[in-house]
Amino acid sequence: MPIDKVGVVGCGLMGSGIAQVVAQAGCHVVVREVSDELVAKGLKSIEKNLQRLVEKGSLTEAQRDQTRGRLRGTTSLDELRDTDLVIEAIIEQLPAKKELFAALDKLCPKATIFASNTSSISITEMATATQRPDRFLGLHFFNPVPVMKLVEVIRTITTDPKVFEEIVGFAERLGKTPVRTSDRTGFIVNRLLVPYLLDAIRALEEGVGSIEDIDKSMKLGCGHPMGPLTLLDFVGLDTTYYIANVMFDEFREPRFAPPPLLKRMVLAGWNGRKAGRGFYDYTDPQNPRPMQLK
Ligand code: 3HC
């Protein structure tokens, strides 16, 4: 039986995007947040995205209504009890994730597959909170989820190969391009991306170029859609700092060590676009201005 009922836990930036693409692909989705306010906020952002697709002509009004009809928000974990697959996209904290998966393990039938959208936490360690390490894997989406084609599918040494291939097929059903990878912190993308982003900060610290020139160089010199400092603001400096620390803990290699400027910006709360400032000031979101950081 193909996967039909999907639970998504967390309806923030990633969770709402995941819930949207899964519902658009024809699955029934229950998305859970911890408060009514957060459920409403997440569903509102999905609604905005669907409406934008209708306005652009890439979704008909009927398809939008069908997608809406397949999507339900809740604050109760109980409503995920009869799902075929649960995708977790909550805060990047191991204890919170383990607690959630332990609760889901008691609630869901043995056949339900558990997946985490974590960008850096060990999938194997999360699976230890459950009695189903064979039906547990990583499913890592990229921001913005409705736009980015890639999904990393992450196997642990305990993941059943049949379950792994089933989820690779599921990612294809979502219209995504899956890549197969293993449970090594950062997987493929962040393993390569994080040292690059940290190096851009080091280049700025060393005065190699201004914020704008570093970004311009990688956009125009390498054809990247965003320069590294803009991308850092987009991903979130706090998120990048967290991932870098987890990767440094795992590998003990200087290339993963967060540079002092990143740490200080996170301490100051300058976490990027969502905080209104990072490497750029977003007072006018259409016209970000580089910050004076020295
Ligand atoms: N939600 C839905 N759709 C969005 C969107 C969003 N948040 N942001 C942009 N879009 C859509 C637009 O509607 C537009 O669609 P169209 O082509 O059908 O009209 C399309 O994306 C392009 O958007 P824009 O024309 O407004 O702007 P850009 O051409 O600059 O594209 C971008 C925006 C897609 C975000 C592009 O700049 C980009 O690809 N940036 C790099 C993003 C990236 O690297 N993401 C990965 C981050 S790492 C990560 O997520 C891993 C984690 O573990 C840290």
PDB file of all heavy atoms in Angstrom, residues 33 36 45-46 48 70 76 90 96 98 166 188 203 215 219 233 241 244 250 256 268:
ATOM      1  N   GLU A  33       1.193  21.349  15.794  1.00  0.00           N
ATOM      2  CA  GLU A  33       2.002  22.366  16.479  1.00  0.00           C
ATOM      3  C   GLU A  33       1.589  22.401  17.944  1.00  0.00           C
ATOM      4  O   GLU A  33       0.590  21.785  18.317  1.00  0.00           O
ATOM      5  CB  GLU A  33       1.800  23.752  15.834  1.00  0.00           C
ATOM      6  CG  GLU A  33       2.949  24.245  14.957  1.00  0.00           C
ATOM      7  CD  GLU A  33       4.308  24.360  15.667  1.00  0.00           C
ATOM      8  OE1 GLU A  33       4.364  24.212  16.905  1.00  0.00           O
ATOM      9  OE2 GLU A  33       5.317  24.582  14.983  1.00  0.00           O
ATOM     10  N   ASP A  36      -2.548  26.713  19.380  1.00  0.00           N
ATOM     11  CA  ASP A  36      -3.483  27.096  18.305  1.00  0.00           C
ATOM     12  C   ASP A  36      -2.889  28.216  17.464  1.00  0.00           C
ATOM     13  O   ASP A  36      -3.072  28.254  16.251  1.00  0.00           O
ATOM     14  CB  ASP A  36      -4.821  27.554  18.908  1.00  0.00           C
ATOM     15  CG  ASP A  36      -5.588  26.369  19.505  1.00  0.00           C
ATOM     16  OD1 ASP A  36      -5.410  25.243  18.990  1.00  0.00           O
ATOM     17  OD2 ASP A  36      -6.334  26.580  20.474  1.00  0.00           O
ATOM     18  N   SER A  45       0.580  30.486   6.311  1.00  0.00           N
ATOM     19  CA  SER A  45       1.686  30.594   5.349  1.00  0.00           C
ATOM     20  C   SER A  45       1.504  29.593   4.191  1.00  0.00           C
ATOM     21  O   SER A  45       1.825  29.893   3.050  1.00  0.00           O
ATOM     22  CB  SER A  45       3.041  30.484   6.063  1.00  0.00           C
ATOM     23  OG  SER A  45       3.587  29.222   5.908  1.00  0.00           O
ATOM     24  N   ILE A  46       0.928  28.413   4.494  1.00  0.00           N
ATOM     25  CA  ILE A  46       0.626  27.447   3.417  1.00  0.00           C
ATOM     26  C   ILE A  46      -0.415  28.052   2.470  1.00  0.00           C
ATOM     27  O   ILE A  46      -0.289  28.000   1.245  1.00  0.00           O
ATOM     28  CB  ILE A  46       0.119  26.107   3.998  1.00  0.00           C
ATOM     29  CG1 ILE A  46       1.218  25.441   4.844  1.00  0.00           C
ATOM     30  CG2 ILE A  46      -0.367  25.174   2.885  1.00  0.00           C
ATOM     31  CD1 ILE A  46       0.783  24.188   5.586  1.00  0.00           C
ATOM     32  N   LYS A  48      -1.044  31.133   1.888  1.00  0.00           N
ATOM     33  CA  LYS A  48      -0.431  32.210   1.096  1.00  0.00           C
ATOM     34  C   LYS A  48       0.351  31.626  -0.098  1.00  0.00           C
ATOM     35  O   LYS A  48       0.241  32.098  -1.229  1.00  0.00           O
ATOM     36  CB  LYS A  48       0.523  33.004   2.012  1.00  0.00           C
ATOM     37  CG  LYS A  48       0.710  34.438   1.594  1.00  0.00           C
ATOM     38  CD  LYS A  48       1.480  35.184   2.670  1.00  0.00           C
ATOM     39  CE  LYS A  48       2.681  35.873   2.046  1.00  0.00           C
ATOM     40  NZ  LYS A  48       3.703  36.259   2.994  1.00  0.00           N
ATOM     41  N   ARG A  70      -7.133  18.145   2.018  1.00  0.00           N
ATOM     42  CA  ARG A  70      -6.315  17.019   2.500  1.00  0.00           C
ATOM     43  C   ARG A  70      -5.451  17.396   3.700  1.00  0.00           C
ATOM     44  O   ARG A  70      -4.724  16.580   4.227  1.00  0.00           O
ATOM     45  CB  ARG A  70      -5.405  16.514   1.370  1.00  0.00           C
ATOM     46  CG  ARG A  70      -6.130  15.745   0.283  1.00  0.00           C
ATOM     47  CD  ARG A  70      -5.153  15.058  -0.647  1.00  0.00           C
ATOM     48  NE  ARG A  70      -4.447  16.015  -1.475  1.00  0.00           N
ATOM     49  CZ  ARG A  70      -4.788  16.352  -2.710  1.00  0.00           C
ATOM     50  NH1 ARG A  70      -5.833  15.792  -3.272  1.00  0.00           N
ATOM     51  NH2 ARG A  70      -4.099  17.239  -3.394  1.00  0.00           N
ATOM     52  N   SER A  76      -2.980  18.282  18.920  1.00  0.00           N
ATOM     53  CA  SER A  76      -2.979  16.998  19.625  1.00  0.00           C
ATOM     54  C   SER A  76      -2.153  15.946  18.873  1.00  0.00           C
ATOM     55  O   SER A  76      -2.452  15.612  17.721  1.00  0.00           O
ATOM     56  CB  SER A  76      -4.436  16.530  19.783  1.00  0.00           C
ATOM     57  OG  SER A  76      -4.467  15.157  19.979  1.00  0.00           O
ATOM     58  N   ILE A  90      10.602  19.687  14.187  1.00  0.00           N
ATOM     59  CA  ILE A  90      10.498  20.577  15.359  1.00  0.00           C
ATOM     60  C   ILE A  90      11.873  21.198  15.622  1.00  0.00           C
ATOM     61  O   ILE A  90      12.817  21.025  14.849  1.00  0.00           O
ATOM     62  CB  ILE A  90       9.959  19.838  16.613  1.00  0.00           C
ATOM     63  CG1 ILE A  90      10.939  18.765  17.102  1.00  0.00           C
ATOM     64  CG2 ILE A  90       8.583  19.227  16.335  1.00  0.00           C
ATOM     65  CD1 ILE A  90      10.651  18.237  18.508  1.00  0.00           C
ATOM     66  N   ALA A  96      14.289  17.130  22.985  1.00  0.00           N
ATOM     67  CA  ALA A  96      12.898  17.376  22.535  1.00  0.00           C
ATOM     68  C   ALA A  96      12.517  16.359  21.467  1.00  0.00           C
ATOM     69  O   ALA A  96      11.392  15.825  21.458  1.00  0.00           O
ATOM     70  CB  ALA A  96      12.766  18.797  21.993  1.00  0.00           C
ATOM     71  N   LYS A  98      13.837  13.331  20.974  1.00  0.00           N
ATOM     72  CA  LYS A  98      13.731  11.974  21.544  1.00  0.00           C
ATOM     73  C   LYS A  98      12.410  11.801  22.305  1.00  0.00           C
ATOM     74  O   LYS A  98      11.755  10.767  22.203  1.00  0.00           O
ATOM     75  CB  LYS A  98      14.930  11.692  22.465  1.00  0.00           C
ATOM     76  CG  LYS A  98      16.192  11.382  21.671  1.00  0.00           C
ATOM     77  CD  LYS A  98      17.395  11.145  22.543  1.00  0.00           C
ATOM     78  CE  LYS A  98      17.570   9.710  22.920  1.00  0.00           C
ATOM     79  NZ  LYS A  98      18.904   9.457  23.511  1.00  0.00           N
ATOM     80  N   GLU A 166      11.484   2.732  -0.027  1.00  0.00           N
ATOM     81  CA  GLU A 166      10.093   3.198  -0.054  1.00  0.00           C
ATOM     82  C   GLU A 166      10.052   4.721   0.109  1.00  0.00           C
ATOM     83  O   GLU A 166       9.292   5.418  -0.560  1.00  0.00           O
ATOM     84  CB  GLU A 166       9.297   2.506   1.076  1.00  0.00           C
ATOM     85  CG  GLU A 166       7.806   2.775   0.994  1.00  0.00           C
ATOM     86  CD  GLU A 166       7.013   2.055   2.091  1.00  0.00           C
ATOM     87  OE1 GLU A 166       7.589   1.193   2.804  1.00  0.00           O
ATOM     88  OE2 GLU A 166       5.821   2.376   2.226  1.00  0.00           O
ATOM     89  N   ILE A 188      25.149  15.303   3.019  1.00  0.00           N
ATOM     90  CA  ILE A 188      25.979  15.765   1.889  1.00  0.00           C
ATOM     91  C   ILE A 188      26.015  17.305   1.852  1.00  0.00           C
ATOM     92  O   ILE A 188      27.086  17.922   1.866  1.00  0.00           O
ATOM     93  CB  ILE A 188      25.437  15.237   0.536  1.00  0.00           C
ATOM     94  CG1 ILE A 188      25.486  13.706   0.502  1.00  0.00           C
ATOM     95  CG2 ILE A 188      26.253  15.836  -0.624  1.00  0.00           C
ATOM     96  CD1 ILE A 188      24.859  13.071  -0.739  1.00  0.00           C
ATOM     97  N   ALA A 203      36.400  35.338   5.801  1.00  0.00           N
ATOM     98  CA  ALA A 203      36.904  36.277   4.787  1.00  0.00           C
ATOM     99  C   ALA A 203      36.496  37.704   5.151  1.00  0.00           C
ATOM    100  O   ALA A 203      37.295  38.642   5.031  1.00  0.00           O
ATOM    101  CB  ALA A 203      36.373  35.897   3.408  1.00  0.00           C
ATOM    102  N   ASP A 215      29.308  38.741  -1.358  1.00  0.00           N
ATOM    103  CA  ASP A 215      28.084  38.169  -1.940  1.00  0.00           C
ATOM    104  C   ASP A 215      28.083  38.280  -3.461  1.00  0.00           C
ATOM    105  O   ASP A 215      27.767  37.313  -4.167  1.00  0.00           O
ATOM    106  CB  ASP A 215      26.847  38.871  -1.355  1.00  0.00           C
ATOM    107  CG  ASP A 215      26.410  38.227  -0.048  1.00  0.00           C
ATOM    108  OD1 ASP A 215      26.956  37.149   0.291  1.00  0.00           O
ATOM    109  OD2 ASP A 215      25.534  38.784   0.633  1.00  0.00           O
ATOM    110  N   LYS A 219      27.872  35.266  -6.359  1.00  0.00           N
ATOM    111  CA  LYS A 219      26.709  35.268  -7.277  1.00  0.00           C
ATOM    112  C   LYS A 219      27.185  35.372  -8.721  1.00  0.00           C
ATOM    113  O   LYS A 219      26.819  34.579  -9.573  1.00  0.00           O
ATOM    114  CB  LYS A 219      25.809  36.488  -6.978  1.00  0.00           C
ATOM    115  CG  LYS A 219      24.778  36.235  -5.905  1.00  0.00           C
ATOM    116  CD  LYS A 219      23.885  37.434  -5.702  1.00  0.00           C
ATOM    117  CE  LYS A 219      22.810  37.504  -6.773  1.00  0.00           C
ATOM    118  NZ  LYS A 219      21.825  38.565  -6.507  1.00  0.00           N
ATOM    119  N   ASP A 233      21.902  34.811   6.242  1.00  0.00           N
ATOM    120  CA  ASP A 233      20.741  35.532   6.798  1.00  0.00           C
ATOM    121  C   ASP A 233      19.446  34.774   6.511  1.00  0.00           C
ATOM    122  O   ASP A 233      18.519  34.772   7.313  1.00  0.00           O
ATOM    123  CB  ASP A 233      20.641  36.930   6.167  1.00  0.00           C
ATOM    124  CG  ASP A 233      21.589  37.927   6.828  1.00  0.00           C
ATOM    125  OD1 ASP A 233      22.286  37.552   7.793  1.00  0.00           O
ATOM    126  OD2 ASP A 233      21.623  39.087   6.365  1.00  0.00           O
ATOM    127  N   TYR A 241      24.934  28.450  13.302  1.00  0.00           N
ATOM    128  CA  TYR A 241      25.829  28.336  14.461  1.00  0.00           C
ATOM    129  C   TYR A 241      25.613  26.991  15.163  1.00  0.00           C
ATOM    130  O   TYR A 241      26.560  26.289  15.519  1.00  0.00           O
ATOM    131  CB  TYR A 241      25.536  29.503  15.418  1.00  0.00           C
ATOM    132  CG  TYR A 241      26.401  29.544  16.647  1.00  0.00           C
ATOM    133  CD1 TYR A 241      27.781  29.729  16.554  1.00  0.00           C
ATOM    134  CD2 TYR A 241      25.842  29.421  17.924  1.00  0.00           C
ATOM    135  CE1 TYR A 241      28.575  29.773  17.683  1.00  0.00           C
ATOM    136  CE2 TYR A 241      26.630  29.468  19.058  1.00  0.00           C
ATOM    137  CZ  TYR A 241      27.995  29.647  18.931  1.00  0.00           C
ATOM    138  OH  TYR A 241      28.771  29.682  20.049  1.00  0.00           O
ATOM    139  N   ALA A 244      26.966  24.168  12.914  1.00  0.00           N
ATOM    140  CA  ALA A 244      28.433  24.174  12.900  1.00  0.00           C
ATOM    141  C   ALA A 244      28.974  23.557  14.195  1.00  0.00           C
ATOM    142  O   ALA A 244      29.918  22.758  14.164  1.00  0.00           O
ATOM    143  CB  ALA A 244      28.946  25.603  12.731  1.00  0.00           C
ATOM    144  N   GLU A 250      31.294  16.553  16.249  1.00  0.00           N
ATOM    145  CA  GLU A 250      31.398  15.221  15.643  1.00  0.00           C
ATOM    146  C   GLU A 250      32.772  14.980  15.015  1.00  0.00           C
ATOM    147  O   GLU A 250      33.380  13.945  15.209  1.00  0.00           O
ATOM    148  CB  GLU A 250      30.308  15.056  14.563  1.00  0.00           C
ATOM    149  CG  GLU A 250      30.462  13.792  13.734  1.00  0.00           C
ATOM    150  CD  GLU A 250      29.332  12.807  13.906  1.00  0.00           C
ATOM    151  OE1 GLU A 250      28.645  12.846  14.947  1.00  0.00           O
ATOM    152  OE2 GLU A 250      29.130  11.988  12.998  1.00  0.00           O
ATOM    153  N   PHE A 256      34.864  23.248  10.590  1.00  0.00           N
ATOM    154  CA  PHE A 256      33.483  23.320  11.081  1.00  0.00           C
ATOM    155  C   PHE A 256      33.336  24.246  12.300  1.00  0.00           C
ATOM    156  O   PHE A 256      32.239  24.420  12.809  1.00  0.00           O
ATOM    157  CB  PHE A 256      32.975  21.917  11.455  1.00  0.00           C
ATOM    158  CG  PHE A 256      32.949  20.961  10.289  1.00  0.00           C
ATOM    159  CD1 PHE A 256      33.762  19.845  10.251  1.00  0.00           C
ATOM    160  CD2 PHE A 256      32.098  21.195   9.213  1.00  0.00           C
ATOM    161  CE1 PHE A 256      33.736  18.968   9.174  1.00  0.00           C
ATOM    162  CE2 PHE A 256      32.067  20.329   8.126  1.00  0.00           C
ATOM    163  CZ  PHE A 256      32.893  19.213   8.100  1.00  0.00           C
ATOM    164  N   ALA A 268      24.115  38.565  20.050  1.00  0.00           N
ATOM    165  CA  ALA A 268      23.418  39.857  19.956  1.00  0.00           C
ATOM    166  C   ALA A 268      21.993  39.692  19.430  1.00  0.00           C
ATOM    167  O   ALA A 268      21.225  40.661  19.392  1.00  0.00           O
ATOM    168  CB  ALA A 268      24.212  40.795  19.045  1.00  0.00           C
TER     169      ALA A 268
END
